[in-house]
Amino acid sequence: MMFSKQISDEGILRELGGRLTGARLERNLTQAALAEAAGVSKRTVERLESGEVATQLSGFVRVCRALGLLERFDTLLPEAMPSPMEQLKSQGRQRRRASRKRAGTETSKKWTWGEPS
């Protein structure tokens, strides 16, 4: 299944859980053995594989680390790279914060007499 905007959060969690189950079985690991290798409880592995939402992201990362799947996170969230124009503008300086919207960019209706303020 491909992930898309139309899939519910629960559907995505179930699909991720199924993929974790497949990765674990490919490596011929029991849930208990994976839990021990990841440093989490067996119940955490059960919850992750079933797609229950009561798990923590840190448990997911630990299980993925134990399965050797951390390298695939780069394809999930690739590092943000500035465009060539942004690189030229910054001249090697790294961006440290987000900018706010400028006051002049908003389109506002001009006030006239007789309208509420």
Side-chain angles (χ1 to χ4, degrees):
M1 166 185 7
M2 295 293 292
F3 294 109
S4 68
K5 292 180 184 179
Q6 289 79 24
I7 301 172
S8 67
D9 292 350
E10 292 80 17
I12 290 172
L13 291 172
R14 278 192 307 275
E15 178 65 21
L16 286 173
R19 291 183 185 190
L20 282 176
T21 302
R24 176 180 58 79
L25 293 175
E26 254 181 36
R27 289 156 181 81
N28 199 28
L29 292 170
T30 64
Q31 288 179 332
L34 177 57
E36 186 177 332
V40 298
S41 69
K42 181 178 178 276
R43 182 68 183 134
T44 297
V45 173
E46 291 169 356
R47 285 181 178 146
L48 284 169
E49 289 186 357
S50 69
E52 291 181 32
V53 295
T55 60
Q56 291 184 350
L57 189 57
S58 61
F60 177 72
V61 170
R62 288 177 183 177
V63 168
C64 288
R65 181 186 310 278
L67 291 172
L69 299 175
L70 284 185
E71 297 80 24
R72 297 184 186 181
F73 281 18
D74 281 331
T75 57
L76 175 65
L77 289 170
E79 186 176 349
M81 300 299 292
S83 70
M85 289 304 292
E86 289 296 320
Q87 289 176 356
L88 285 173
K89 287 179 186 177
S90 68
Q91 298 177 351
R93 292 175 283 148
Q94 284 189 337
R95 189 172 181 179
R96 296 186 185 259
R97 63 179 123 157
S99 58
R100 60 183 172 180
K101 295 190 188 261
R102 300 179 193 235
T105 60
E106 292 183 23
T107 57
S108 60
K109 183 179 167 187
K110 193 171 189 174
W111 182 82
T112 58
W113 285 101
E115 290 183 358
S117 52

